[in-house]
Every structure is written in C-alpha cells, then in structure tokens.
C-alpha cells in the first residue's frame, strides 16, 4: 500500500480524500475516530496485522475477543475501501450471526458507520451489511459448501477455523480469492482456538509460524492467551478465579490447554488412554485403599446407577453401572449386562440393584427402551422372594410428583450437547482422580465376583477404543464397528448422576427428593 504521496497526488487530492488516505495508513486511529473504539494494546496489534498482511492467523484463547476484532476490521475496511466484498465464513450460520451481532453493536455506537451503512439486513440464510460506497460484508451458511460456491470476495474471514471442513476450505473458500482488484491485495484471515494436532488447523499454524518469519510483510501470526490480556496494570479485565477453577475441574486437560493456553495437544491413543485408566486404579497402600468390587452395597454410603436400556438381540446391550460415592470420590464397584432380554428381566435387575445397593439416583438413556422401562417402573414390584418394591419414579416428570414411591429416576435425552458433556465430564473426572476403578481381577473362586470383574474389564476396553471427532461446536464419540460402548455409556451416566448428587450437597440442597440416604425397598 502506498502511504507517501507525490506532489501531484497531494495537489489533486481533496481534504476528505487525504483523510481517507491517512486512515488507510493508520487503522488504529481510524478505529478511534470513526467507530469510537479505543483499542487495547493487543487489539491494536491484531488490527494492524489484519490490515497490512495478506494472510493472517489469529490464535486466541476463549474470551479474548477474536470475533469482535474480526468485526471491527471488517467494518473499518469496508468503510475505507469502496467496492470491496468481504465474506464471513463460520462452521454454522449461528456462528456467522454471532459475528454479525458484533457488527450490529458497532453499528449502534458509531454514527459514521450508520451513515455509511443505513441498515444491517438479516434473513434465515444470509447476513448483509451494505455500504453506500459499494462495499459490503456478507455472511452465509457454509453447510456442504454448495450454498457459497461461486461467491467472489476480496476479503475472507474464517472464524472457528478448526471446525470448518478442510475440503470445503480447499475446494470452495480459497478459490473465492482467485481474482483481485488492481492495486488492492485480497486478504485471507483465519481465526480460532487451538485444536488437536491431527486437525488441519495445526498444519496451518505451522505454515503461518514459518511464513510470518520468512515473509513478515505478507504473513502474520498472532497468539494471545488470557494471561497476556491481564499482564498490564491498566487492563480493564480481571480473572474470575471461581469460574477459572470450575472450568479447570469440569473439562479435560486437553480441552483446557486448547481453550485457555493456545496449545495443540497430541491425542493419538484414543479419547481415553490406558495410562489414564491405570492412573485411576489405586493400589492398596498404607495411606490409601484400593477401589473394591462390591456385590452388595456397604451401609452408610450412597450409590448411583447408570442404565442403557437396549434390548435387541445381537445389537446393543442392556447395561447397568453402579458407582459408590465415598468422600467425594466416585468408585466403580459393580457392572452388569444383558443382551436381547425381555423388559421384565431388565426391570428385575434394576430393582435388584436398587435393593442390593443404596441407590439414590438412576440416570437412564431415554432412547431405545428407556421410556418403556420408565413407564413400567411406575408400579410397585414383587420380587421373586415376595418382597414388595416401591415404584421408581421420574424426578423431573410432574405427572408423578404427588405419587408415592422413590423419586430417584432421571431420564437423559442423548442430544449432541448432552453426549458431549457426558463423555467430557467422565474424562475430566478421571484426570482429576475423582473417579476410581478396581484393580483388575480375571479369576476368582466367587463366580459372581469374577463375572462382575470381567464386566468392569470390558468397560475399560470400551473406553480405550472410543474416538472423539469434532463436529461444529461438539464432539461425536464413536467406536470401531467391531466394538460397542454400552458399558462406557452407562459409566458416563452414573458419573453424571454422582456429580449431580455431589453438586446438590455442595450447594446444601436437601437430597431427600433423590432418596433418603438409607436402605429402602
């Protein structure tokens, strides 16, 4: 870009044109004068990087404001360069709309922007900020790439780069910049939070790392974590210690490092590694007892149960996992499985486990046969030995609030966010050593104990083959076709139930509605 003018150019330019040229050379000042935004030190660096480099990567931890800075850049660039077309790309249209919400905030607060762009248009499939100078900022849903194919942009902004399909980037998005205006460089700006090293974002990170040194005028890489933002005395931000600790406990080490430290972790041994499982299997020492296998619950302790109610022969298994809550730690003490069994047999085993252990909450998958089992549990049940078991009722179903029985059942609908949270919290609990496994027992003179020990071993094997695949904002958890993950799912459900109990206790909420904490029928 030409900053210094010749005498002839100086003579021919009007005062307004000179001011535009000045602002093009000084975008930070333009941001202050035209948009009324006083940028922080690192924001000034980000804006200049996007403004003067042809290829820019923003690698920022969550909450630093990458979407906001991309919105600031897009607005300012469209105002100062007539006829440019800026495309906003994100994995989902909701994320595109989020960036346009930032643009709308700037629109409200800047009279100059409103004068340049009278209205921001939104439909169910498109966001548009059109300037009177012929420039416009457009946001479209990516989808499969077909909806944006054929678009031509002078500037492309890709947010949440790691979760935008790599094939769409290569096939559809990059070709949008093939043609440029004379004397005006096209710009390619990508932004996101760190992800696993096997993702295409990491390869781009390596590329930008090298090229920003070799060709610093063309390439720019900007990395900031929250400590950078807080490091100056005049920073308007402050770390919320409580939220920080909560986020540290509620997520896995890899996710924490990605979200907060801009680190790309290596995860090439599956979502849960053998080393992690082993670290959650305490050995007997003088200071610490090993986690036991139990066929009957120990008096004085509460237990929770996870249930997967599949019943198709040869298909998924009906599975039960029981955790013991001891001093805030969840101990995996019992597992049971059936395949292709009738509902009556499933009901019996749910009742049996509730009787043999002091189960104060059951979390059950609502899909498959879950809803049917829920309905069947609402009636009293006579065990084979004649003992009458009280109805087991849904905690959250208002239809049963006034019915006598044990209100200890929670139905879990397996939406993508729920499944994401189930497995993430399961792994986080393992990493924080608040979930324990018993030492492997492969042979025992007690056949029931041996059977339970084998079920726990099978659960560990299922955990080892689970793979996590990022899709949009969440992870999808899969296993190879020769494996199942019913046991792992019920372990995650039981862990969820235990965490709900512990959270209620932490908040000093009475847990009587979840079970009375003593042996009941």
């Amino acid at each position: 870009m030409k900053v210094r003018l010749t005498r002839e150019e100086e003579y021919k330019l009007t005062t307004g044109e000179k001011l535009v040229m000045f602002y093009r050379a000084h975008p930070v000042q333009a941001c202050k004068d035209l948009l009324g935004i006083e940028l922080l030190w690192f924001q000034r660096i980000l804006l200049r990087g996007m403004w003067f480099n042809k290829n820019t990567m923003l690698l920022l931890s969550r909450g630093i404001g990458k979407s906001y800075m991309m919105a600031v850049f897009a607005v300012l660039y469209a105002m100062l360069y007539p006829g440019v077309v800026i495309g906003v790309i994100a994995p989902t249209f909701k994320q595109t709309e989020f960036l346009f919400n930032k643009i709308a905030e700037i629109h409200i607060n800047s009279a100059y922007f409103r004068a340049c762009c009278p209205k921001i248009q939104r439909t169910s499939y498109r966001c548009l900020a059109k300037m009177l100078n012929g420039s416009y900022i457009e946001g479209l849903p990516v989808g499969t790439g077909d909806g944006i194919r054929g678009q031509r942009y002078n500037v492309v902004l890709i947010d949440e780069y790691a979760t935008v399909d790599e094939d769409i980037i290569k096939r559809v998005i990059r070709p949008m910049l093939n043609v440029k205006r004379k004397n005006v460089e096209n710009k390619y700006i990508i932004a996101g939070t760190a992800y696993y090293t096997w993702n295409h974002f990491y390869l781009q990170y390596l590329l930008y790392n090298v090229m920003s040194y070799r060709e610093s005028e063309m390439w720019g890489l900007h990395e900031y974590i929250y400590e950078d933002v807080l490091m100056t005395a005049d920073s308007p931000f402050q770390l919320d210690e409580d939220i920080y600790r909560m986020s540290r406990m509620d997520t896995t080490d890899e996710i924490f490092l990605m979200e907060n430290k801009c680190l790309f972790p290596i995860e090439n041994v599956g979502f849960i590694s053998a080393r992690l499982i082993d670290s959650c299997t305490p050995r007997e020492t003088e200071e610490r007892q090993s986690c036991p296998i139990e066929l009957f619950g120990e008096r004085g302790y509460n237990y929770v149960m996870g249930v997967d109610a599949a019943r198709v022969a040869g298909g998924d298994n009906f599975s039960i996992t029981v955790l013991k809550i001891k001093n805030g730690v969840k101990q995996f003490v019992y597992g049971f499985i059936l395949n292709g069994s009738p509902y009556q047999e499933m009901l019996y085993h749910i009742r049996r486990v509730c009787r043999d252990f002091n189960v104060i909450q059951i979390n059950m998958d609502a899909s498959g046969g879950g809803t049917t089992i829920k309905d069947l549990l609402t009636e009293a049940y006579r065990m084979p030995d004649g003992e009458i078991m009280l109805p087991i009722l849904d905690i959250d179903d208002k239809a049963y609030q006034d019915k006598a029985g044990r209100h200890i059942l929670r139905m879990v609908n397996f939406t993508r966010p729920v499944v994401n949270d189930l497995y993430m919290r399961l792994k986080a609990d393992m990493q924080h050593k608040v979930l324990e496994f018993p030492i492997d027992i492969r042979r025992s003179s007690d056949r029931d104990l041996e059977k339970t020990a084998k079920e726990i071993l099978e659960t560990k094997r299922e955990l080892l083959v689970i793979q996590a695949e990022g899709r949009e904002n969440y992870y999808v958890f899969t296993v190879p076709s020769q494996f199942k993950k019913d046991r792992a799912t019920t372990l995650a459900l039981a862990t969820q139930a235990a965490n709900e109990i512990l959270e209620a206790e932490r908040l000093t909420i009475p847990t009587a509605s979840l079970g009375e904490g003593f042996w009941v029928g």
Side-chain angles (χ1 to χ4, degrees), residues 267-283:
E267 183 72 320
N268 57 1
V269 290
F271 180 65
I272 295 175
S273 67
R275 178 174 293 184
L276 177 58
I277 294 174
D278 186 70
S279 71
C280 297
T281 309
R283 272 60 172 176

Side-chain angles (χ1 to χ4, degrees), residues 323-393:
L323 299 182
K324 178 181 184 178
I325 302 175
K326 184 176 181 181
N327 300 326
V329 175
K330 289 139 289 197
Q331 296 184 328
F332 184 4
V333 297
Y334 182 80
F336 180 82
I337 203 162
L338 292 171
N339 187 266
S341 299
Y343 283 119
Q344 288 303 317
E345 189 173 359
M346 297 183 196
L347 289 170
Y348 163 72
H349 286 291
I350 291 174
R351 297 285 194 181
R352 173 185 64 80
V353 172
C354 284
R355 181 191 64 184
D356 294 346
F357 298 83
N358 185 34
V359 174
I360 63 171
Q361 184 163 318
I362 304 169
N363 281 26
M364 181 164 65
D365 180 6
S367 61
T371 303
T372 301
I373 288 182
K374 168 194 165 179
D375 293 337
L376 294 172
L377 287 171
T378 59
E379 299 300 324
Y381 187 88
R382 183 185 293 275
M383 298 293 284
D385 61 1
E387 181 180 359
I388 302 298
M389 305 289 290
L390 296 174
I392 294 176
L393 305 172

Side-chain angles (χ1 to χ4, degrees), residues 22-33:
F22 172 80
Y23 282 146
R24 287 181 180 177
H26 302 88
V28 172
Q29 189 64 45
C31 185
K32 181 179 180 180
D33 294 349

Side-chain angles (χ1 to χ4, degrees), residues 24 75 146 191 223 226 251 314 367 416 520:
R24 287 181 180 177
V75 169
D146 293 335
E223 300 180 62
Y226 69 88
T251 190
S367 61
R416 187 174 290 179
V520 292

Side-chain angles (χ1 to χ4, degrees), residues 18-50:
K18 290 178 182 178
L19 187 60
V20 168
M21 293 296 290
F22 172 80
Y23 282 146
R24 287 181 180 177
H26 302 88
V28 172
Q29 189 64 45
C31 185
K32 181 179 180 180
D33 294 349
L34 301 180
L35 304 183
I37 298 173
E38 187 82 53
L39 297 175
L40 300 173
W41 67 270
F42 77 96
Q43 293 175 323
R44 296 195 290 271
I45 294 172
L46 294 179
L47 180 59
R48 291 191 190 104
M50 289 185 282

Side-chain angles (χ1 to χ4, degrees), residues 462 465-469 471 476-480 485:
E462 288 186 4
V465 297
I466 290 175
Q467 298 291 327
E469 178 185 354
R471 294 182 188 174
V476 174
F477 299 90
T478 59
V479 295
K485 57 182 175 71

Side-chain angles (χ1 to χ4, degrees), residues 68 98-110 113-114 120 122:
Y68 175 72
F98 177 76
L99 195 145
F100 265 82
N101 289 341
K102 302 298 181 184
I103 293 176
E105 291 175 16
I106 299 171
H107 192 264
I108 292 170
N109 296 318
S110 170
F113 183 25
R114 291 196 301 274
I120 296 176
R122 295 173 186 256

Side-chain angles (χ1 to χ4, degrees), residues 55 70 95 136 148 185 228 273 369 381 401 443 456:
N55 303 289
M70 292 171 82
Q95 289 169 303
Y136 64 89
I148 58 175
E185 289 289 352
D228 298 325
S273 67
Y381 187 88
Q401 283 185 348
R443 294 287 184 269
I456 294 173

